[in-house]
């Protein structure tokens, strides 16, 4: 098809996206990621006319895309203007005489031709350029600290409420070293699972008095339906009496907090509720998903790459298409991680795609930990001793005891 288009001035594309739109469907305003794709972007419209809106600041231009026409976005239109299609069934279009009329939409198929970029973007349009808008690590930390509460509400708490049932279905087998920790307590000890999710660890040792708490009502509903003892609270302010708990676990929770101060506060709350001699186990996601050159379970589950059915670059293309369909204002502009690949940054959004008919993509905020970062946080607390520090399948883990 590219040869039939007869466009010798442009490099041949190496990526083609085919989308089918029902009448009334739209596309949120966006710019194709600068660092992902070169100039130009070409889109062939088939089956139906449609009006596309181009925006730059307060400027708005409506462009009619007739069926069987080729849209070429190059230079300023590719890099400095967003483009999108409003979700409606009827467009207002100009007639040959210059007057206006209405035109009904029907099913439309678009074929978008793009060429992948190898390396950063060097365009002259910095406003929408992800390469040139990259902030320094300190600037990212400052933004996260300023917007931490809003970010966690939108990209942690609200997301887990929306994906609760699907997420719970993927969390059913206790991790062996967590179970070993739980089995190390004397019978009738009181255990508090902070961030218990669906409560999968609350029944690991039936000889314990196990109580769980979480922020997500959806996940707590799953635990409650199983007859578990659970309640709702924030890990930054536990409604639990000081020095009353024999053991705490916090598994895959603290990495959802958006500043170092908040992560330290959560650890101090675990320490506060522990009795003297009580122990806590904390798991956080590690930035390095390899240990002794062995892939973590998270990376090994990337069956597409492991079986060489595709490449990580192809996965990033797929992610780019998913993000184009989203219409969400993010509190802090952070990189979106490609699932089942190595982390490139510490503060990222990690996509979660639902399995229902809508196949909705949600973005969860994570701070993935460098080696010894968790230990350094624990060392800032008075009256605790680190009893064990280890790496377990892509997670940094610490057991500390209150003196």
């Amino acid at each position: 098809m590219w040869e039939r288009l007869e466009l010798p001035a442009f490099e041949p594309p190496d990526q083609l996206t085919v989308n089918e739109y029902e009448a009334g469907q739209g596309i949120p305003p966006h710019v194709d990621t600068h660092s992902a794709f070169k100039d130009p972007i070409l889109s062939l419209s088939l089956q139906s006319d449609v009006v596309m809106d181009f925006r730059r600041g307060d400027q708005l231009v409506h462009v009619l895309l007739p069926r069987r026409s080729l849209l070429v976005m190059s230079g300023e239109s590719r890099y400095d203007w967003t483009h999108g299609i409003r979700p409606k069934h009827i467009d207002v279009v100009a007639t040959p005489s210059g007057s206006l009329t209405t035109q009904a939409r029907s099913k439309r198929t678009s074929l978008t031709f793009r060429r992948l970029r190898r390396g950063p973007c060097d365009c002259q349009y910095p406003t929408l350029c992800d390469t040139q808008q990259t902030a320094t690590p300190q600037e990212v930390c400052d933004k996260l600290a300023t917007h931490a509460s809003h970010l966690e509400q939108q990209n942690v708490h609200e997301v887990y409420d929306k994906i609760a049932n699907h997420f719970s279905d993927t969390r059913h087998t206790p991790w062996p070293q967590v179970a070993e920790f739980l089995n190390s307590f004397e019978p009738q000890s009181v255990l508090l699972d902070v961030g218990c999710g669906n409560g999968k660890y609350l029944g690991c040792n039936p000889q314990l008095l196990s109580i769980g708490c979480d922020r997500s009502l959806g996940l707590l509903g799953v635990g409650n339906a199983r007859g578990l003892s659970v309640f709702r609270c924030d890990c930054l302010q536990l409604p639990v009496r000081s020095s009353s708990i024999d053991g705490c676990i916090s598994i895959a929770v603290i990495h959802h907090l958006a500043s170092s101060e908040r992560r330290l506060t959560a650890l101090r709350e675990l320490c506060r509720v522990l009795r003297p001699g009580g122990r806590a186990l904390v798991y956080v996601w590690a930035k390095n998903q390899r240990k002794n050159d062995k892939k973590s379970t998270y990376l090994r589950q990337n069956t597409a790459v492991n079986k060489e059915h595709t490449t990580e670059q192809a996965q990033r293309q797929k992610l780019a298409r998913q993000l184009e369909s989203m219409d969400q204002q993010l509190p802090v502009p952070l990189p979106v991680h490609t699932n089942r690949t190595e982390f490139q940054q510490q503060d990222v959004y990690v996509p979660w795609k639902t399995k229902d008919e809508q196949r909705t993509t949600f973005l969860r905020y994570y701070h993935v930990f460098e080696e010894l970062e968790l230990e350094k946080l624990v060392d800032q607390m008075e009256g605790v001793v680190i009893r064990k520090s280890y790496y377990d399948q892509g997670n940094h883990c610490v057991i500390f005891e209150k003196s």
Side-chain angles (χ1 to χ4, degrees):
M1 181 172 286
W2 178 255
E3 293 176 354
R4 290 173 58 191
L5 291 174
E6 297 182 356
L7 296 169
F10 299 125
E11 288 184 279
D14 54 11
Q15 195 245 3
L16 171 64
T17 302
V18 181
N19 284 316
E20 186 177 76
Y21 300 97
E22 296 294 335
Q25 287 186 315
I27 306 171
H30 70 283
V31 62
D32 290 64
T33 306
H34 287 207
S35 63
F37 305 108
K38 288 186 173 183
D39 182 330
I41 307 292
L42 303 100
S43 180
L44 180 65
S45 294
L46 301 177
Q47 297 177 281
S48 175
D49 297 358
V50 74
V51 171
M52 179 171 280
D53 295 336
F54 284 80
R55 294 179 182 272
R56 184 174 63 176
D58 295 332
Q59 296 174 278
L60 171 61
V61 178
H62 304 293
V63 178
L64 175 64
L65 307 182
R67 58 184 293 271
R68 298 175 63 83
S69 68
L70 182 70
L71 170 70
V72 179
M73 291 181 286
S74 182
E76 188 176 302
S77 66
R78 182 265 180 270
Y79 289 123
D80 211 32
W81 292 67
T82 65
H83 60 278
I85 296 174
R86 293 180 61 188
K88 55 183 182 178
H89 289 84
I90 295 176
D91 285 316
V92 177
V93 298
T95 66
S97 64
S99 59
L100 297 177
T101 186
T102 58
Q103 181 172 284
R105 293 182 190 174
S106 59
K107 181 183 290 186
R108 171 177 169 269
T109 299
S110 72
L111 289 78
T112 304
F113 299 88
R114 296 182 281 205
R115 187 169 182 83
L116 295 172
R117 185 187 301 279
R118 302 318 197 261
C121 176
D122 58 356
C123 73
Q124 303 301 310
Y125 305 96
T127 303
L128 299 176
C129 182
D130 59 314
T131 296
Q132 299 179 58
Q133 292 298 317
T134 301
T136 66
Q138 186 57 51
E139 289 172 337
V140 171
C141 289
D142 291 344
K143 282 188 177 181
L144 287 170
T146 301
H147 301 283
S149 180
H150 180 202
L151 174 64
E152 292 163 15
Q153 176 63 32
Q154 176 176 304
N155 292 95
V156 180
H157 308 316
E158 291 179 7
V159 171
Y160 277 105
D161 275 336
K162 291 173 182 175
I163 67 173
N165 290 330
H166 182 204
F167 182 82
S168 176
D169 290 342
T170 68
R171 301 298 190 270
H172 42 74
T173 304
W175 293 343
Q177 294 204 59
V178 179
E180 180 182 327
F181 175 78
L182 296 175
N183 288 327
S184 69
F185 288 89
E186 294 293 326
Q188 309 309 313
S189 295
V190 179
L191 170 81
L192 177 64
D193 184 348
V194 179
C196 65
N198 64 4
K200 73 175 183 179
Y201 289 111
L202 297 180
C204 276
N205 184 348
Q207 295 184 305
L208 303 180
L209 174 58
S210 298
I211 306 167
C213 60
D214 203 282
R215 179 68 181 262
S216 168
L217 283 173
L219 289 171
L220 288 173
V222 176
N224 189 55
R226 295 174 177 176
L228 303 173
S229 297
V230 295
F231 64 94
R232 187 173 189 243
C233 72
D234 194 306
C235 67
L236 298 173
Q237 197 170 14
L238 299 174
V240 178
R241 191 171 70 244
S242 300
S243 304
S244 62
I245 302 295
D246 297 301
C248 288
I249 60 174
S250 178
I251 311 301
V253 175
I254 291 175
H255 55 216
H256 284 307
L257 298 173
S259 72
S260 178
E261 291 76 13
R262 293 166 77 84
R263 295 187 280 272
L264 181 57
T265 297
L267 289 171
R268 283 179 169 149
E269 277 294 273
L270 296 179
C271 179
R272 179 185 66 79
V273 302
L274 284 174
R275 64 165 179 78
R279 291 171 290 138
L281 170 62
V282 179
Y283 268 55
V284 294
W285 215 355
K287 182 173 182 286
N288 185 5
Q289 288 294 305
R290 296 174 187 264
K291 189 72 169 180
N292 299 324
D293 206 32
K294 291 184 179 179
K295 292 182 178 181
S296 67
T297 302
Y298 175 72
L299 293 183
R300 291 201 305 271
Q301 288 175 343
N302 192 341
T303 55
V305 169
N306 293 335
K307 293 180 181 180
E308 298 183 350
H309 287 170
T310 186
T311 64
E312 289 189 12
Q313 185 64 56
Q315 288 184 293
R316 290 188 175 92
Q317 295 175 37
K318 182 178 180 181
L319 173 60
R321 294 194 296 271
Q322 292 173 5
L323 296 180
E324 286 172 3
S325 68
M326 296 181 63
D327 187 14
Q328 182 186 56
Q329 184 67 40
L330 298 172
V332 181
L334 297 173
V336 178
H337 174 64
T338 302
N339 276 323
R340 309 297 177 188
T341 65
E342 296 277 9
F343 288 101
Q344 304 301 315
Q345 297 88 7
Q346 280 194 271
D347 295 285
V348 295
Y349 295 114
V350 178
W352 181 279
K353 192 170 185 178
T354 61
K355 297 294 186 182
D356 55 18
E357 292 183 1
Q358 286 74 31
R359 305 286 286 175
T360 307
T361 298
F362 295 99
L363 297 180
R364 298 170 294 160
Y365 166 76
Y366 280 86
H367 172 85
V368 288
F369 278 62
E370 297 280 11
E371 188 173 7
L372 299 180
E373 182 181 353
L374 179 58
E375 289 86 340
K376 290 177 181 177
L377 279 177
V378 175
D379 284 340
Q380 293 183 49
M381 298 190 296
E382 296 181 359
V384 300
V385 178
I386 294 178
R387 293 302 183 192
K388 187 178 181 181
S389 172
Y390 60 99
Y391 179 93
D392 183 18
Q393 286 303 321
N395 297 279
H396 292 305
C397 320
V398 162
I399 297 175
F400 65 83
E401 181 178 316
K402 183 175 180 178
S403 58

